[in-house]
Short mmCIF file of all heavy atoms in Angstrom, two decimals:
data_model
loop_
_atom_site.label_atom_id
_atom_site.label_comp_id
_atom_site.label_asym_id
_atom_site.label_seq_id
_atom_site.Cartn_x
_atom_site.Cartn_y
_atom_site.Cartn_z
N TYR A 524 9.17 29.61 -29.81
CA TYR A 524 8.47 29.17 -28.61
C TYR A 524 7.45 30.24 -28.26
O TYR A 524 7.73 31.43 -28.34
CB TYR A 524 9.45 28.97 -27.46
CG TYR A 524 8.80 28.56 -26.16
CD1 TYR A 524 8.58 27.22 -25.87
CD2 TYR A 524 8.41 29.52 -25.22
CE1 TYR A 524 7.98 26.83 -24.67
CE2 TYR A 524 7.81 29.14 -24.02
CZ TYR A 524 7.59 27.79 -23.77
OH TYR A 524 6.99 27.41 -22.59
N ARG A 525 6.25 29.81 -27.83
CA ARG A 525 5.17 30.76 -27.55
C ARG A 525 4.54 30.46 -26.20
O ARG A 525 4.32 29.31 -25.84
CB ARG A 525 4.13 30.67 -28.66
CG ARG A 525 2.88 31.52 -28.42
CD ARG A 525 1.88 31.39 -29.53
NE ARG A 525 2.24 32.17 -30.70
CZ ARG A 525 1.38 32.55 -31.64
NH1 ARG A 525 0.11 32.18 -31.56
NH2 ARG A 525 1.79 33.26 -32.67
N GLN A 526 4.24 31.54 -25.44
CA GLN A 526 3.59 31.38 -24.14
C GLN A 526 2.50 32.42 -23.98
O GLN A 526 2.69 33.60 -24.28
CB GLN A 526 4.62 31.51 -23.01
CG GLN A 526 4.10 31.09 -21.65
CD GLN A 526 5.23 30.74 -20.69
OE1 GLN A 526 6.15 30.01 -21.06
NE2 GLN A 526 5.18 31.26 -19.49
N LYS A 527 1.33 31.99 -23.46
CA LYS A 527 0.16 32.86 -23.33
C LYS A 527 0.28 33.74 -22.09
O LYS A 527 0.81 33.34 -21.06
CB LYS A 527 -1.10 32.01 -23.24
CG LYS A 527 -2.40 32.82 -23.14
CD LYS A 527 -3.59 31.92 -22.87
CE LYS A 527 -3.92 31.03 -24.04
NZ LYS A 527 -5.16 30.25 -23.82
N PHE A 528 -0.26 34.97 -22.20
CA PHE A 528 -0.40 35.83 -21.03
C PHE A 528 -1.62 36.72 -21.22
O PHE A 528 -2.20 36.81 -22.31
CB PHE A 528 0.87 36.67 -20.79
CG PHE A 528 1.16 37.71 -21.84
CD1 PHE A 528 0.79 39.04 -21.67
CD2 PHE A 528 1.85 37.37 -23.01
CE1 PHE A 528 1.07 40.00 -22.64
CE2 PHE A 528 2.14 38.32 -23.98
CZ PHE A 528 1.74 39.64 -23.79
N TYR A 529 -2.04 37.39 -20.14
CA TYR A 529 -3.26 38.19 -20.14
C TYR A 529 -2.93 39.61 -19.71
O TYR A 529 -2.10 39.83 -18.83
CB TYR A 529 -4.30 37.60 -19.19
CG TYR A 529 -4.62 36.16 -19.44
CD1 TYR A 529 -3.83 35.14 -18.90
CD2 TYR A 529 -5.70 35.79 -20.23
CE1 TYR A 529 -4.11 33.82 -19.14
CE2 TYR A 529 -6.00 34.46 -20.48
CZ TYR A 529 -5.20 33.48 -19.93
OH TYR A 529 -5.48 32.16 -20.18
N VAL A 530 -3.59 40.57 -20.32
CA VAL A 530 -3.42 41.98 -19.98
C VAL A 530 -4.77 42.57 -19.61
O VAL A 530 -5.76 42.39 -20.34
CB VAL A 530 -2.81 42.78 -21.15
CG1 VAL A 530 -2.87 44.28 -20.88
CG2 VAL A 530 -1.37 42.34 -21.40
N TYR A 531 -4.82 43.26 -18.46
CA TYR A 531 -5.99 44.05 -18.06
C TYR A 531 -5.50 45.48 -17.89
O TYR A 531 -4.69 45.77 -17.01
CB TYR A 531 -6.59 43.52 -16.76
CG TYR A 531 -7.07 42.10 -16.86
CD1 TYR A 531 -6.51 41.10 -16.07
CD2 TYR A 531 -8.08 41.76 -17.75
CE1 TYR A 531 -6.94 39.79 -16.17
CE2 TYR A 531 -8.52 40.46 -17.86
CZ TYR A 531 -7.95 39.47 -17.06
OH TYR A 531 -8.38 38.18 -17.17
N ASN A 532 -6.00 46.38 -18.72
CA ASN A 532 -5.47 47.75 -18.76
C ASN A 532 -6.62 48.74 -18.63
O ASN A 532 -7.27 49.10 -19.61
CB ASN A 532 -4.71 47.98 -20.07
CG ASN A 532 -3.91 49.27 -20.05
OD1 ASN A 532 -4.11 50.13 -19.21
ND2 ASN A 532 -3.01 49.42 -21.01
N SER A 533 -6.89 49.19 -17.40
CA SER A 533 -7.98 50.14 -17.16
C SER A 533 -7.63 51.53 -17.68
O SER A 533 -8.51 52.36 -17.89
CB SER A 533 -8.31 50.20 -15.67
OG SER A 533 -7.19 50.66 -14.94
N ARG A 534 -6.33 51.80 -17.89
CA ARG A 534 -5.92 53.10 -18.40
C ARG A 534 -6.23 53.21 -19.89
O ARG A 534 -6.57 54.29 -20.39
CB ARG A 534 -4.43 53.30 -18.16
CG ARG A 534 -4.04 53.19 -16.69
CD ARG A 534 -2.55 53.01 -16.53
NE ARG A 534 -2.07 51.80 -17.20
CZ ARG A 534 -0.82 51.36 -17.13
NH1 ARG A 534 0.08 52.04 -16.44
NH2 ARG A 534 -0.46 50.26 -17.76
N LYS A 535 -6.11 52.11 -20.59
CA LYS A 535 -6.39 52.08 -22.03
C LYS A 535 -7.89 51.94 -22.29
O LYS A 535 -8.43 52.54 -23.21
CB LYS A 535 -5.63 50.91 -22.66
CG LYS A 535 -5.84 50.76 -24.16
CD LYS A 535 -5.11 51.83 -24.94
CE LYS A 535 -5.17 51.54 -26.44
NZ LYS A 535 -4.50 52.58 -27.24
N ASP A 536 -8.54 51.11 -21.48
CA ASP A 536 -9.98 50.86 -21.64
C ASP A 536 -10.72 51.69 -20.61
O ASP A 536 -10.79 51.34 -19.43
CB ASP A 536 -10.28 49.37 -21.44
CG ASP A 536 -9.39 48.50 -22.33
OD1 ASP A 536 -9.38 48.74 -23.54
OD2 ASP A 536 -8.71 47.62 -21.79
N ILE A 537 -11.29 52.82 -21.05
CA ILE A 537 -11.89 53.79 -20.15
C ILE A 537 -13.01 53.18 -19.32
O ILE A 537 -13.18 53.47 -18.13
CB ILE A 537 -12.43 55.01 -20.94
CG1 ILE A 537 -11.30 55.60 -21.78
CG2 ILE A 537 -13.01 56.04 -19.99
CD1 ILE A 537 -10.11 56.05 -20.97
N SER A 538 -13.78 52.29 -19.93
CA SER A 538 -14.93 51.69 -19.24
C SER A 538 -14.54 50.42 -18.51
O SER A 538 -15.37 49.57 -18.23
CB SER A 538 -16.04 51.39 -20.25
OG SER A 538 -15.56 50.50 -21.26
N PHE A 539 -13.28 50.30 -18.20
CA PHE A 539 -12.75 49.07 -17.61
C PHE A 539 -13.40 48.77 -16.26
O PHE A 539 -13.46 49.61 -15.38
CB PHE A 539 -11.25 49.20 -17.42
CG PHE A 539 -10.60 48.04 -16.73
CD1 PHE A 539 -10.30 46.89 -17.44
CD2 PHE A 539 -10.30 48.10 -15.38
CE1 PHE A 539 -9.68 45.82 -16.81
CE2 PHE A 539 -9.69 47.03 -14.75
CZ PHE A 539 -9.38 45.89 -15.46
N GLU A 540 -13.89 47.55 -16.10
CA GLU A 540 -14.36 47.02 -14.83
C GLU A 540 -13.65 45.70 -14.61
O GLU A 540 -13.80 44.79 -15.42
CB GLU A 540 -15.88 46.81 -14.85
CG GLU A 540 -16.69 48.09 -14.88
CD GLU A 540 -16.60 48.84 -13.55
OE1 GLU A 540 -16.21 48.21 -12.55
OE2 GLU A 540 -16.90 50.03 -13.52
N PRO A 541 -12.86 45.55 -13.54
CA PRO A 541 -12.08 44.31 -13.35
C PRO A 541 -12.90 43.05 -13.48
O PRO A 541 -12.55 42.14 -14.20
CB PRO A 541 -11.52 44.49 -11.94
CG PRO A 541 -11.43 45.96 -11.74
CD PRO A 541 -12.63 46.52 -12.47
N SER A 542 -14.04 42.99 -12.79
CA SER A 542 -14.82 41.75 -12.82
C SER A 542 -15.40 41.51 -14.20
O SER A 542 -15.43 40.38 -14.69
CB SER A 542 -15.94 41.81 -11.79
OG SER A 542 -16.79 42.93 -12.04
N ALA A 543 -15.87 42.58 -14.87
CA ALA A 543 -16.46 42.41 -16.20
C ALA A 543 -15.43 41.96 -17.21
O ALA A 543 -15.68 41.08 -18.03
CB ALA A 543 -17.11 43.72 -16.65
N ILE A 544 -14.24 42.56 -17.16
CA ILE A 544 -13.19 42.18 -18.10
C ILE A 544 -12.75 40.75 -17.86
O ILE A 544 -12.50 39.99 -18.79
CB ILE A 544 -11.99 43.14 -17.97
CG1 ILE A 544 -12.40 44.53 -18.43
CG2 ILE A 544 -10.82 42.65 -18.80
CD1 ILE A 544 -12.78 44.62 -19.89
N ALA A 545 -12.66 40.37 -16.58
CA ALA A 545 -12.25 39.01 -16.26
C ALA A 545 -13.21 38.01 -16.87
O ALA A 545 -12.82 37.02 -17.48
CB ALA A 545 -12.17 38.83 -14.75
N VAL A 546 -14.50 38.28 -16.73
CA VAL A 546 -15.49 37.37 -17.30
C VAL A 546 -15.44 37.37 -18.81
O VAL A 546 -15.49 36.33 -19.45
CB VAL A 546 -16.91 37.76 -16.81
CG1 VAL A 546 -17.97 36.96 -17.55
CG2 VAL A 546 -17.04 37.53 -15.31
N ALA A 547 -15.30 38.56 -19.40
CA ALA A 547 -15.28 38.65 -20.85
C ALA A 547 -14.12 37.86 -21.43
O ALA A 547 -14.26 37.19 -22.46
CB ALA A 547 -15.20 40.11 -21.29
N SER A 548 -12.95 37.94 -20.80
CA SER A 548 -11.80 37.23 -21.34
C SER A 548 -11.91 35.74 -21.08
O SER A 548 -11.46 34.94 -21.90
CB SER A 548 -10.51 37.78 -20.71
OG SER A 548 -10.48 37.50 -19.33
N GLU A 549 -12.50 35.36 -19.95
CA GLU A 549 -12.59 33.95 -19.63
C GLU A 549 -13.51 33.20 -20.60
O GLU A 549 -13.34 32.02 -20.83
CB GLU A 549 -13.07 33.76 -18.20
CG GLU A 549 -11.99 34.06 -17.17
CD GLU A 549 -12.44 33.75 -15.77
OE1 GLU A 549 -13.53 33.18 -15.60
OE2 GLU A 549 -11.69 34.06 -14.84
N THR A 550 -14.51 33.89 -21.14
CA THR A 550 -15.38 33.20 -22.10
C THR A 550 -14.60 32.74 -23.32
O THR A 550 -15.03 31.85 -24.04
CB THR A 550 -16.53 34.13 -22.55
OG1 THR A 550 -15.98 35.31 -23.16
CG2 THR A 550 -17.41 34.52 -21.38
N ASP A 551 -13.44 33.35 -23.54
CA ASP A 551 -12.62 32.98 -24.69
C ASP A 551 -11.80 31.71 -24.46
O ASP A 551 -11.16 31.22 -25.39
CB ASP A 551 -11.66 34.12 -25.06
CG ASP A 551 -12.40 35.35 -25.56
OD1 ASP A 551 -13.52 35.20 -26.07
OD2 ASP A 551 -11.84 36.45 -25.41
N ILE A 552 -11.81 31.19 -23.26
CA ILE A 552 -10.96 30.03 -22.99
C ILE A 552 -11.43 28.80 -23.76
O ILE A 552 -10.66 27.85 -23.91
CB ILE A 552 -10.91 29.71 -21.48
CG1 ILE A 552 -12.29 29.29 -20.96
CG2 ILE A 552 -10.38 30.89 -20.70
CD1 ILE A 552 -12.29 28.92 -19.49
N PHE A 553 -12.66 28.81 -24.25
CA PHE A 553 -13.17 27.67 -25.00
C PHE A 553 -13.04 27.85 -26.51
O PHE A 553 -13.41 26.96 -27.27
CB PHE A 553 -14.64 27.40 -24.63
CG PHE A 553 -14.85 27.12 -23.17
CD1 PHE A 553 -15.40 28.08 -22.34
CD2 PHE A 553 -14.46 25.91 -22.62
CE1 PHE A 553 -15.57 27.83 -20.99
CE2 PHE A 553 -14.63 25.64 -21.27
CZ PHE A 553 -15.19 26.60 -20.45
N ASN A 554 -12.51 29.01 -26.94
CA ASN A 554 -12.40 29.27 -28.37
C ASN A 554 -11.42 28.34 -29.07
O ASN A 554 -11.52 28.10 -30.27
CB ASN A 554 -11.96 30.72 -28.62
CG ASN A 554 -13.07 31.71 -28.33
OD1 ASN A 554 -14.24 31.33 -28.22
ND2 ASN A 554 -12.72 32.97 -28.22
N GLU A 555 -10.46 27.80 -28.32
CA GLU A 555 -9.43 26.97 -28.94
C GLU A 555 -9.90 25.56 -29.25
O GLU A 555 -9.19 24.79 -29.89
CB GLU A 555 -8.21 26.91 -28.04
CG GLU A 555 -8.47 26.25 -26.69
CD GLU A 555 -7.27 26.28 -25.78
OE1 GLU A 555 -6.39 25.43 -25.94
OE2 GLU A 555 -7.24 27.17 -24.91
N TYR A 556 -11.11 25.21 -28.82
CA TYR A 556 -11.60 23.85 -29.01
C TYR A 556 -12.58 23.78 -30.19
O TYR A 556 -13.35 24.69 -30.44
CB TYR A 556 -12.30 23.34 -27.75
CG TYR A 556 -11.44 23.42 -26.51
CD1 TYR A 556 -11.72 24.33 -25.50
CD2 TYR A 556 -10.34 22.60 -26.37
CE1 TYR A 556 -10.93 24.42 -24.37
CE2 TYR A 556 -9.53 22.67 -25.24
CZ TYR A 556 -9.83 23.58 -24.25
OH TYR A 556 -9.04 23.66 -23.14
N SER A 557 -12.51 22.68 -30.91
CA SER A 557 -13.46 22.44 -32.01
C SER A 557 -14.80 22.02 -31.43
O SER A 557 -14.91 21.67 -30.24
CB SER A 557 -12.93 21.34 -32.93
OG SER A 557 -12.89 20.09 -32.24
N GLU A 558 -15.83 22.02 -32.26
CA GLU A 558 -17.15 21.61 -31.79
C GLU A 558 -17.14 20.14 -31.38
O GLU A 558 -17.81 19.75 -30.41
CB GLU A 558 -18.20 21.84 -32.87
CG GLU A 558 -19.63 21.58 -32.37
CD GLU A 558 -20.69 22.08 -33.33
OE1 GLU A 558 -20.31 22.66 -34.36
OE2 GLU A 558 -21.89 21.90 -33.03
N GLU A 559 -16.36 19.33 -32.08
CA GLU A 559 -16.25 17.92 -31.71
C GLU A 559 -15.62 17.77 -30.32
O GLU A 559 -16.05 16.93 -29.52
CB GLU A 559 -15.40 17.18 -32.74
CG GLU A 559 -15.28 15.68 -32.47
CD GLU A 559 -14.46 14.97 -33.52
OE1 GLU A 559 -13.96 15.66 -34.45
OE2 GLU A 559 -14.30 13.74 -33.42
N GLN A 560 -14.62 18.58 -30.01
CA GLN A 560 -14.00 18.53 -28.69
C GLN A 560 -14.98 18.99 -27.62
O GLN A 560 -15.04 18.42 -26.52
CB GLN A 560 -12.74 19.39 -28.68
CG GLN A 560 -11.58 18.82 -29.45
CD GLN A 560 -10.41 19.77 -29.51
OE1 GLN A 560 -10.56 20.94 -29.89
NE2 GLN A 560 -9.23 19.29 -29.14
N LEU A 561 -15.76 20.05 -27.93
CA LEU A 561 -16.75 20.52 -26.97
C LEU A 561 -17.77 19.43 -26.68
O LEU A 561 -18.19 19.24 -25.52
CB LEU A 561 -17.45 21.77 -27.50
CG LEU A 561 -16.60 23.04 -27.64
CD1 LEU A 561 -17.46 24.20 -28.10
CD2 LEU A 561 -15.90 23.39 -26.35
N ASP A 562 -18.20 18.72 -27.71
CA ASP A 562 -19.15 17.61 -27.52
C ASP A 562 -18.58 16.56 -26.58
O ASP A 562 -19.27 16.02 -25.71
CB ASP A 562 -19.51 16.97 -28.86
CG ASP A 562 -20.39 17.86 -29.71
OD1 ASP A 562 -21.09 18.73 -29.15
OD2 ASP A 562 -20.39 17.68 -30.95
N SER A 563 -17.29 16.27 -26.76
CA SER A 563 -16.63 15.28 -25.92
C SER A 563 -16.58 15.73 -24.47
O SER A 563 -16.89 14.94 -23.55
CB SER A 563 -15.21 15.02 -26.44
OG SER A 563 -14.51 14.13 -25.59
N TYR A 564 -16.25 16.98 -24.24
CA TYR A 564 -16.19 17.49 -22.87
C TYR A 564 -17.59 17.54 -22.24
O TYR A 564 -17.76 17.24 -21.05
CB TYR A 564 -15.57 18.89 -22.84
CG TYR A 564 -14.09 18.89 -23.12
CD1 TYR A 564 -13.52 19.79 -24.02
CD2 TYR A 564 -13.24 18.01 -22.45
CE1 TYR A 564 -12.16 19.80 -24.26
CE2 TYR A 564 -11.88 18.01 -22.69
CZ TYR A 564 -11.34 18.90 -23.60
OH TYR A 564 -9.99 18.91 -23.85
N LEU A 565 -18.59 17.90 -23.02
CA LEU A 565 -19.95 17.96 -22.49
C LEU A 565 -20.41 16.59 -22.01
O LEU A 565 -21.11 16.47 -21.00
CB LEU A 565 -20.90 18.51 -23.55
CG LEU A 565 -20.79 20.01 -23.85
CD1 LEU A 565 -21.56 20.38 -25.10
CD2 LEU A 565 -21.29 20.83 -22.66
N ARG A 566 -20.02 15.54 -22.71
CA ARG A 566 -20.42 14.19 -22.30
C ARG A 566 -19.82 13.83 -20.95
O ARG A 566 -20.42 13.07 -20.19
CB ARG A 566 -19.99 13.17 -23.36
CG ARG A 566 -20.84 13.19 -24.62
CD ARG A 566 -20.57 11.97 -25.49
NE ARG A 566 -19.23 12.00 -26.06
CZ ARG A 566 -18.93 12.56 -27.23
NH1 ARG A 566 -19.87 13.15 -27.94
NH2 ARG A 566 -17.68 12.53 -27.69
N THR A 567 -18.63 14.36 -20.66
CA THR A 567 -17.98 14.00 -19.40
C THR A 567 -18.59 14.71 -18.20
O THR A 567 -18.27 14.36 -17.07
CB THR A 567 -16.48 14.34 -19.46
OG1 THR A 567 -16.31 15.77 -19.48
CG2 THR A 567 -15.83 13.73 -20.68
N LEU A 568 -19.47 15.69 -18.43
CA LEU A 568 -20.05 16.45 -17.33
C LEU A 568 -21.23 15.75 -16.68
O LEU A 568 -21.86 16.30 -15.77
CB LEU A 568 -20.49 17.84 -17.82
CG LEU A 568 -19.39 18.76 -18.34
CD1 LEU A 568 -19.99 20.09 -18.78
CD2 LEU A 568 -18.33 18.98 -17.28
N THR A 569 -21.55 14.55 -17.14
CA THR A 569 -22.72 13.83 -16.64
C THR A 569 -22.73 13.75 -15.12
O THR A 569 -23.77 13.92 -14.48
CB THR A 569 -22.75 12.40 -17.21
OG1 THR A 569 -22.75 12.47 -18.63
CG2 THR A 569 -23.97 11.65 -16.74
N TYR A 570 -21.57 13.50 -14.53
CA TYR A 570 -21.52 13.28 -13.09
C TYR A 570 -21.83 14.54 -12.29
O TYR A 570 -22.28 14.46 -11.15
CB TYR A 570 -20.13 12.77 -12.69
CG TYR A 570 -19.67 11.59 -13.48
CD1 TYR A 570 -18.36 11.50 -13.93
CD2 TYR A 570 -20.54 10.54 -13.77
CE1 TYR A 570 -17.92 10.41 -14.66
CE2 TYR A 570 -20.12 9.45 -14.50
CZ TYR A 570 -18.81 9.39 -14.95
OH TYR A 570 -18.39 8.31 -15.68
N LYS A 571 -21.55 15.69 -12.87
CA LYS A 571 -21.73 16.94 -12.16
C LYS A 571 -23.03 17.66 -12.51
O LYS A 571 -23.44 18.57 -11.79
CB LYS A 571 -20.57 17.89 -12.47
CG LYS A 571 -19.22 17.41 -12.01
CD LYS A 571 -19.17 17.36 -10.50
CE LYS A 571 -19.40 18.75 -9.91
NZ LYS A 571 -19.62 18.68 -8.44
N ALA A 572 -23.67 17.28 -13.60
CA ALA A 572 -24.82 18.01 -14.11
C ALA A 572 -26.09 17.69 -13.33
O ALA A 572 -26.29 16.56 -12.86
CB ALA A 572 -25.03 17.70 -15.59
N THR A 573 -26.96 18.67 -13.19
CA THR A 573 -28.28 18.46 -12.62
C THR A 573 -29.20 17.90 -13.71
O THR A 573 -28.83 17.82 -14.89
CB THR A 573 -28.86 19.78 -12.10
OG1 THR A 573 -29.05 20.67 -13.21
CG2 THR A 573 -27.92 20.43 -11.09
N ASN A 574 -30.42 17.53 -13.31
CA ASN A 574 -31.37 17.02 -14.30
C ASN A 574 -31.63 18.05 -15.39
O ASN A 574 -31.66 17.72 -16.59
CB ASN A 574 -32.69 16.65 -13.62
CG ASN A 574 -32.57 15.42 -12.74
OD1 ASN A 574 -31.69 14.59 -12.97
ND2 ASN A 574 -33.41 15.31 -11.73
N ASP A 575 -31.81 19.31 -14.99
CA ASP A 575 -32.07 20.36 -15.97
C ASP A 575 -30.87 20.56 -16.89
O ASP A 575 -31.02 20.76 -18.10
CB ASP A 575 -32.40 21.67 -15.27
CG ASP A 575 -33.77 21.64 -14.60
OD1 ASP A 575 -34.60 20.80 -14.99
OD2 ASP A 575 -33.98 22.45 -13.68
N GLU A 576 -29.67 20.51 -16.32
CA GLU A 576 -28.47 20.69 -17.13
C GLU A 576 -28.29 19.55 -18.12
O GLU A 576 -27.88 19.78 -19.26
CB GLU A 576 -27.24 20.82 -16.23
CG GLU A 576 -27.17 22.15 -15.50
CD GLU A 576 -26.06 22.20 -14.47
OE1 GLU A 576 -25.70 21.13 -13.92
OE2 GLU A 576 -25.55 23.30 -14.19
#
Side-chain angles (χ1 to χ4, degrees):
Y524 178 88
R525 174 180 283 201
Q526 191 159 313
K527 182 187 292 186
F528 67 97
Y529 305 84
V530 170
Y531 299 118
N532 191 346
S533 62
R534 303 164 300 185
K535 180 73 172 179
D536 308 306
I537 304 301
S538 59
F539 176 80
E540 291 290 342
S542 59
I544 294 296
V546 171
S548 66
E549 285 185 7
T550 59
D551 294 334
I552 65 178
F553 301 105
N554 288 345
E555 63 184 279
Y556 305 110
S557 66
E558 187 168 358
E559 182 179 1
Q560 288 175 308
L561 294 183
D562 288 336
S563 176
Y564 289 133
L565 287 168
R566 286 192 292 270
T567 69
L568 297 180
T569 303
Y570 308 138
K571 296 294 299 169
T573 64
N574 290 335
D575 289 339
E576 287 172 331

